[in-house]
Amino acid sequence: MDKIVFALPGNEQLVNAIVNGLKCEQGKFEFRRFPDEETYIRLESDVNGKEAIVVCTLDRPDNKFLSLYFLAEILKDAGADKITLVSPYLAYMRQDKKFNPGECVTSEHFANLLSGFVDELITVDPHLHRIKSLESIYAIPTKVIQSAPYISKWIKENIKNPILIGPDIESKQWVSEVARDAGAPYTVLLKSRLGDKNVKVSIPHIHKYLGSCTPVIVDDIISTALTMIKTIEHLKEEGAKPLVCIGIHAVFAGNAYNELKQSGAARIVTCNTIVHETNEIKLDAAIIKLLS
Ligand code: R5P
């Protein structure tokens, strides 16, 4: 089936890489906002009988979701045979449980909505915690790219004698893999989140590595950056420097990036699942391979 690739605004870099990698057509559509901020969208390409690949990373999802839905609807209306969504950052994976009575388990509802209008989902390291796999909430086929081999490659090429630190128990899944690939030691801390902006992280006991190793904190999402900042505070108290922070998804809410820079991180590196100046680890090749 012929493929045609569409970029929702902000996803042009990855779409260019996919179009070049797959040697396929780039889809065209007019997209603008009316003065009242409603969306106008008009398809300009022929998609009849083709697989339409729509690229839309889903950080800040509430602003993007309707545009994605409208695009998928006009693609189907114009005869696309299959709609594949490439969403390197998949939103609404964190509220996966009712912590308090009356709360909405947004992970499930978001999965239901997306499953209703795309045929396949490709993403990178979704935040799987209490939900063990995407299949348990998504009704469509899903494919997941693991960033661990790309992160360990970056570490091997850039950091001498790393000691990896996962700031919470969920991070063990990435940190242990990255450490194995990079042939480096690792430790995982305990974290309690007491509120959106109140995080406590246990003290990393890495004395024996200090002096000979560079501490590298690895986490999946950097949002408020408090998880990283609190870990850095402990490491600095232990006399560790310089510190490297690696996040898979550069969400960086509000002023988080500046706050992380000011906290003493010597280097902040992310994967290019959300466009950001820290995107040193590119996953384009892995995405193209899955789409081939
Ligand atoms: C949480 O469970 C995740 O793995 C990350 O540790 C978390 O999302 C980081 O959030 P923040 O940057 O707001 O501390």
Side-chain angles (χ1 to χ4, degrees):
M1 199 189 314
D2 287 344
K3 297 181 197 307
I4 179 165
V5 192
F6 290 85
L8 260 299
N11 296 274
E12 293 78 7
Q13 277 178 16
L14 179 55
V15 163
N16 286 340
I18 295 173
V19 166
N20 288 332
L22 295 180
K23 309 252 171 305
C24 68
E25 189 185 350
Q26 176 156 1
K28 292 197 177 75
F29 62 104
E30 184 183 348
F31 178 92
R32 65 184 172 86
R33 303 270 185 207
F34 286 109
D36 62 2
E37 295 187 24
E38 290 186 5
T39 298
Y40 173 86
I41 186 163
R42 187 176 67 87
L43 185 62
E44 293 171 344
S45 298
D46 174 14
V47 297
N48 195 28
K50 298 178 186 167
E51 175 185 359
I53 298 168
V54 176
V55 181
C56 180
T57 202
L58 281 168
D59 59 305
R60 283 101 188 149
D62 297 13
N63 280 336
K64 298 177 175 173
F65 194 78
L66 267 183
S67 313
L68 173 60
Y69 170 71
F70 292 142
L71 178 59
E73 286 302 315
I74 53 170
L75 290 169
K76 266 188 270 176
D77 197 42
D81 255 13
K82 177 180 177 191
I83 297 175
T84 301
L85 171 63
V86 176
S87 187
Y89 176 69
L90 184 58
Y92 282 113
M93 288 302 292
R94 296 208 284 175
Q95 180 89 32
D96 56 2
K97 176 185 158 178
K98 215 176 259 192
F99 297 94
N100 295 296
E103 279 179 355
C104 181
V105 182
T106 48
S107 297
E108 285 175 16
H109 296 295
F110 190 73
N112 283 340
L113 282 174
L114 260 191
S115 300
F117 64 88
V118 300
D119 300 308
E120 184 173 53
L121 168 67
I122 294 179
T123 190
V124 176
D125 287 318
H127 183 79
L128 296 172
H129 182 196
R130 284 158 288 261
I131 293 169
K132 296 298 170 210
S133 71
L134 285 182
E135 291 79 65
S136 60
I137 52 170
Y138 277 82
I140 49 173
T142 56
K143 289 182 184 159
V144 169
I145 291 160
Q146 313 285 347
S147 59
Y150 300 86
I151 296 177
S152 45
K153 181 170 181 284
W154 184 90
I155 291 176
K156 280 191 268 186
E157 288 169 357
N158 291 278
I159 311 291
K160 253 195 207 157
N161 301 329
I163 158 84
L164 306 194
I165 298 154
D168 54 27
I169 210 71
E170 297 106 276
S171 66
K172 190 172 178 190
Q173 51 191 308
W174 306 283
V175 177
S176 56
E177 280 227 22
V178 172
R180 191 174 37 90
D181 276 17
Y186 76 93
T187 183
V188 171
L189 311 181
L190 295 174
K191 178 174 88 179
S192 14
R193 187 176 280 280
L194 309 165
D196 290 350
K197 296 204 166 173
N198 189 358
V199 171
K200 278 195 175 148
V201 179
S202 65
I203 297 174
H205 295 290
I206 57 164
H207 308 88
K208 66 174 177 181
Y209 297 104
L210 296 181
S212 57
C213 292
T214 301
V216 181
I217 310 169
V218 182
D219 203 358
D220 62 338
I221 300 168
I222 311 179
S223 177
T224 62
L226 280 171
T227 303
M228 291 275 181
I229 291 170
K230 294 291 169 194
T231 308
I232 289 173
E233 280 171 12
H234 288 318
L235 287 165
K236 283 201 315 200
E237 276 161 24
E238 305 235 320
K241 62 179 181 183
L243 300 157
V244 178
C245 294
I246 302 182
I248 302 172
H249 305 294
V251 172
F252 290 120
N255 199 30
Y257 179 46
N258 284 328
E259 287 165 9
L260 182 56
K261 279 200 288 193
Q262 282 154 18
S263 74
R267 201 155 172 190
I268 303 165
V269 173
T270 60
C271 300
N272 65 333
T273 60
I274 298 170
V275 175
H276 192 265
E277 65 182 72
T278 53
N279 289 167
E280 284 191 45
I281 303 170
K282 309 279 186 221
L283 303 177
D284 303 3
I287 293 171
I288 293 164
K289 194 168 164 205
L290 261 196
L291 288 167
S292 301

